[in-house]
Amino acid sequence: AEPAGGAERTLPQRSPSRPRPPTADPGPARPMDRSSLLQLIQEQQLDPENTGFIGAETFTGLVHSHELPLDPAKLDMLVALAQSNERGQVCYQELVDLISSKRSSSFKRAIAHGQRALPRAGLLEEPGLGVYKRFVRYVAYEILPREVDRHWYFSRHRSCPPPVFMASVTLAQIIVFLCYGARLNKWVLQTYHPEYMRSPLVYHPGHRARAWRFLTYMFMHVGLEQLGFNALLQLMIGVPLEMVHGLLRIGLLYLAGVLAGSLTVSITDMRAPVVGGSGGVYALCSAHLANVVMNWAGMRCPYKLLRMVLALVCMSSEVGRAVWLRFSPPLPTSGPQPSFMAHLAGAVVGVSMGLTILRSYEERLRDQCGWWVVLLAYGTFLLFAVFWNIFAYDLLGAQVPPPP
């Protein structure tokens, strides 16, 4: 029926405000795990209009009403993520990733570009932490430049799997050194012993066809001083880096530095052998130092300027010592001493490939344009070095010392 007076009646317009969750009684409070919560989100239809977004307050109330044991740091990240949205909402898929302990690059960018920092205080003010958690907190402040990344790492870190790569490499180097030291009865300047260069692990230009030597030379060392320097840096810098960035990334960076070191020596110093893991060590150190410099304001590691100066002094003195042994050996020898070019090659790998890896924390490398550029450059270098070792020695008539 038409309204009296012939006046037309219009229906009220629907408000464009964000959708409200259903008011159905969720039942008695009960604890649940992550998979149960994800199922509950779907059953409750928190996004009935399929907008792809859920109100942060709605989700937080659901968590508290069902006594979900969710890490408070993740709730803080959820709030920070919602603050970066104009309507105080969070993307449904990002919410699922957060609960499932996954993290996409879009989640990281959303927090990074938000208008406010995390509401919690810094990790340094966390009270009542055990010894191991204190060490994890130290690693977070030592390696990561932003507080949101530190919170994320601190909340999701697990002790299993442990950082086994750097520890295993260091242990293997110590065992090999002890075996050769006991066999040769020589612990300083082992390369001066006539039997040392006969090891199947040492890279020698006369044995270029034995490709494994381009990597296995990292287990041999000039003497106790070089082994001590490399082992100390691998444990002090390599282990924290592996705890944060994982075995695959740090292992790839270390081995890339080692391989680049021997190949660079085969191109630039064609008569010299190579021993020691300095190529991999300098890749780790230069990557870490470059990351600290580029994120100087955000790094909260104590005495960072003093520590950087000491690291640069130690690394420079090690390179200077290697140059001295190469061109002015203290004892007469039958052939050239190991080259120092592996140190410089490792540093170049660390600044290029290593810095790309460290800056892509919790982001897939294959999604980073810079990663493909660096990988293409490294692959081009490897291809050039392979052809150089196959053809250049004969074409240039290089006077390679006879292999031992």
Side-chain angles (χ1 to χ4, degrees):
E2 294 184 0
E8 294 184 359
R9 179 181 299 173
T10 58
L11 295 176
Q13 297 294 326
R14 187 171 183 175
S15 173
S17 60
R18 60 189 180 190
R20 296 182 179 180
T23 56
D25 185 9
R30 63 186 188 279
M32 61 177 63
D33 54 13
R34 293 183 180 89
S35 61
S36 300
L37 177 64
L38 294 177
Q39 182 179 0
L40 178 64
I41 292 175
Q42 297 175 355
E43 293 176 353
Q44 293 276 331
Q45 297 182 356
L46 299 183
D47 185 20
E49 296 185 358
N50 296 323
T51 62
F53 289 86
I54 302 175
E57 295 179 358
T58 301
F59 172 72
T60 306
L62 186 68
V63 170
H64 292 306
S65 64
H66 289 78
E67 298 181 359
L68 177 71
L70 192 63
D71 195 312
K74 292 187 176 182
L75 288 177
D76 291 338
M77 292 179 190
L78 175 67
V79 174
L81 184 62
Q83 289 289 340
S84 65
N85 184 277
E86 295 179 355
R87 302 176 64 182
Q89 295 176 318
V90 60
C91 176
Y92 175 78
Q93 185 58 48
E94 300 294 351
L95 176 60
V96 173
D97 292 343
L98 178 64
I99 300 173
S100 304
S101 295
K102 298 179 181 178
R103 190 179 187 190
S104 64
S105 58
S106 59
F107 176 80
K108 184 177 181 180
R109 287 195 299 269
I111 293 185
H113 298 157
Q115 300 300 319
R116 64 191 297 272
L118 287 174
R120 297 182 65 193
L123 289 180
L124 289 177
E125 302 176 12
E126 288 274 353
L129 296 179
V131 175
Y132 181 75
K133 294 300 289 185
R134 287 177 179 271
F135 178 68
V136 173
R137 180 177 61 184
Y138 162 79
V139 170
Y141 275 91
E142 182 73 16
I143 303 300
L144 297 172
R146 298 191 307 163
E147 191 68 22
V148 63
D149 290 334
R150 297 173 192 134
H151 274 276
W152 179 263
Y153 169 72
F154 187 80
S155 65
R156 67 183 291 270
H157 175 76
R158 301 292 182 269
S159 58
C160 185
V164 295
F165 177 78
M166 294 310 309
S168 300
V169 169
T170 304
L171 180 61
Q173 291 172 342
I174 294 175
I175 292 176
V176 170
F177 178 82
L178 293 177
C179 290
Y180 276 90
R183 175 185 172 185
L184 305 177
N185 193 24
K186 192 174 182 64
W187 304 95
V188 179
L189 298 179
Q190 291 184 347
T191 54
Y192 289 87
H193 197 284
E195 295 291 330
Y196 184 82
M197 286 297 174
R198 296 182 182 179
S199 170
L201 303 178
V202 174
Y203 166 79
H204 190 280
H207 291 307
R208 300 187 312 280
R210 302 175 184 179
W212 70 83
R213 291 175 178 254
F214 285 93
L215 283 176
T216 57
Y217 77 92
M218 70 179 183
F219 297 107
M220 306 293 291
H221 288 82
V222 173
L224 183 62
E225 63 284 356
Q226 186 189 28
L227 173 66
F229 178 81
N230 288 346
L232 182 64
L233 290 180
Q234 286 174 177
L235 295 178
M236 290 185 60
I237 297 180
V239 170
L241 286 175
E242 185 180 350
M243 290 178 61
V244 174
H245 297 281
L247 182 150
L248 292 179
R249 293 190 178 192
I250 300 305
L252 173 64
L253 175 59
Y254 185 86
L255 295 178
V258 170
L259 184 58
S262 56
L263 290 175
T264 300
V265 171
S266 69
I267 296 173
T268 60
D269 199 355
M270 300 170 66
R271 290 176 48 84
V274 189
V275 294
S278 297
V281 172
Y282 275 64
L284 297 177
C285 294
S286 59
H288 177 58
L289 293 180
N291 189 44
V292 172
V293 171
M294 295 193 65
N295 301 279
W296 187 263
M299 300 301 293
R300 292 294 182 267
C301 47
Y303 308 107
K304 55 185 177 182
L305 179 60
L306 176 61
R307 294 166 62 183
M308 175 165 290
V309 171
L310 291 177
L312 292 176
V313 169
C314 293
M315 294 172 64
S316 301
S317 62
E318 174 65 16
V319 174
R321 176 182 173 277
V323 173
W324 172 66
L325 290 177
R326 174 67 180 88
F327 295 108
S328 300
L331 298 174
T333 58
S334 58
Q337 288 299 295
S339 176
F340 60 91
M341 291 302 299
H343 301 71
L344 305 181
V348 173
V349 170
V351 173
S352 56
M353 180 183 295
L355 187 58
T356 303
I357 291 177
L358 299 192
R359 294 180 65 184
S360 301
Y361 171 67
E362 283 297 316
E363 294 183 52
R364 293 178 297 184
L365 289 174
R366 64 174 179 265
D367 295 337
Q368 309 299 315
C369 179
W371 167 250
W372 293 108
V373 174
V374 171
L375 198 61
L376 178 61
Y378 188 80
T380 303
F381 165 74
L382 292 183
L383 188 62
F384 171 79
V386 169
F387 279 96
W388 179 277
N389 280 273
I390 295 176
F391 301 107
Y393 279 75
D394 294 332
L395 293 177
L396 298 177
Q399 299 296 323
V400 177

